[in-house]
Amino acid sequence: MRELRAQGRYGPRLRDVLPAFTGVVAAVCAVAALLAAGYRAAGVVVPVAGIAFLAVLVLAGIRHGRPGARRRLGYYTPDELFELDTQGLALAVARMLRRDGWRVRLLPAPDRPRLCARDAAGHRIDVAFRPVAEPLPDEDLPHPRLHRGRQESHLRLIVHRGAFTARDVRWARREESIRLLDGSALRRWAAGTRLSDLLSQGR
């Protein structure tokens, strides 16, 4: 048995799972006590409503935990991010922006998709997906479909699943409106950290 545990093939010991098991038992007993108290106070309506509410919570948790539903809400694991192509990464970032309260337009392109997002306060972010941060000659030009009307200051976010070079970082620091989001920050964003928190940490 010790050899099997050492090889990781036997499973955890009782003392490893006892705290979690105790917590589950305590939670079940507390719920049962509340339902019994409700039954004595108001009749059968309280336990029926309580059980229905718990069933809805369990179903919602199961549905939310499914990979497809989780990704649609803007949550990705590091492995899922690694498997995405550029178009898939653009869709993932669009979902993460929507999760943080931004309205997003995705402009698909075979090799260089773009996003334009705006929040409730009127702030705008243009997002590019590139392996390096140095801009192409046409990237500094405003996009005719995105920038109609008055010209306002906005943030340009460059997303990269890897690490930016020191040259990229120096270039971005010279441009006040540009932020770089590398692979480490992208994974934290995909796990639930808000973009505003990541951008404030990166300055």
Side-chain angles (χ1 to χ4, degrees), residues 102-163:
W102 295 78
R103 290 171 294 151
V104 184
R105 281 188 66 189
L106 172 62
L107 298 175
D111 55 349
R112 197 157 52 107
R114 302 279 296 274
L115 294 175
C116 182
R118 189 181 296 271
D119 67 3
H123 302 120
R124 196 179 79 215
I125 292 182
D126 291 343
V127 186
F129 303 87
R130 301 254 319 289
V132 295
E134 198 67 34
L136 296 177
D138 62 337
E139 274 197 315
D140 289 327
L141 299 176
H143 196 289
R145 288 189 293 174
L146 293 179
H147 301 189
R148 293 174 182 164
R150 59 189 179 89
Q151 296 297 313
E152 57 193 16
S153 62
H154 63 281
L155 194 65
R156 291 178 57 204
L157 182 68
I158 299 179
V159 176
H160 181 30
R161 277 181 289 196

Side-chain angles (χ1 to χ4, degrees), residues 15 46 52 63 149 165 169:
R15 67 184 179 199
V46 172
R63 189 170 181 180
T165 65
V169 173

Side-chain angles (χ1 to χ4, degrees), residues 64-86:
H64 184 274
R66 290 178 180 170
R70 176 174 43 76
R71 289 192 294 266
R72 282 192 294 273
L73 293 172
Y75 296 91
Y76 289 78
T77 66
D79 289 339
E80 289 169 342
L81 288 176
F82 179 77
E83 293 170 359
L84 296 174
D85 59 10
T86 305

Side-chain angles (χ1 to χ4, degrees), residues 8 48 92 98 181:
V48 169
R98 291 190 184 105
L181 196 77

Side-chain angles (χ1 to χ4, degrees), residues 180-203:
L180 304 181
L181 196 77
D182 63 7
S184 174
L186 179 64
R187 289 189 291 274
R188 282 184 284 146
W189 189 18
T193 304
R194 293 185 64 84
L195 179 62
S196 57
D197 296 335
L198 293 172
L199 295 180
S200 64
Q201 293 168 11
R203 276 322 256 186

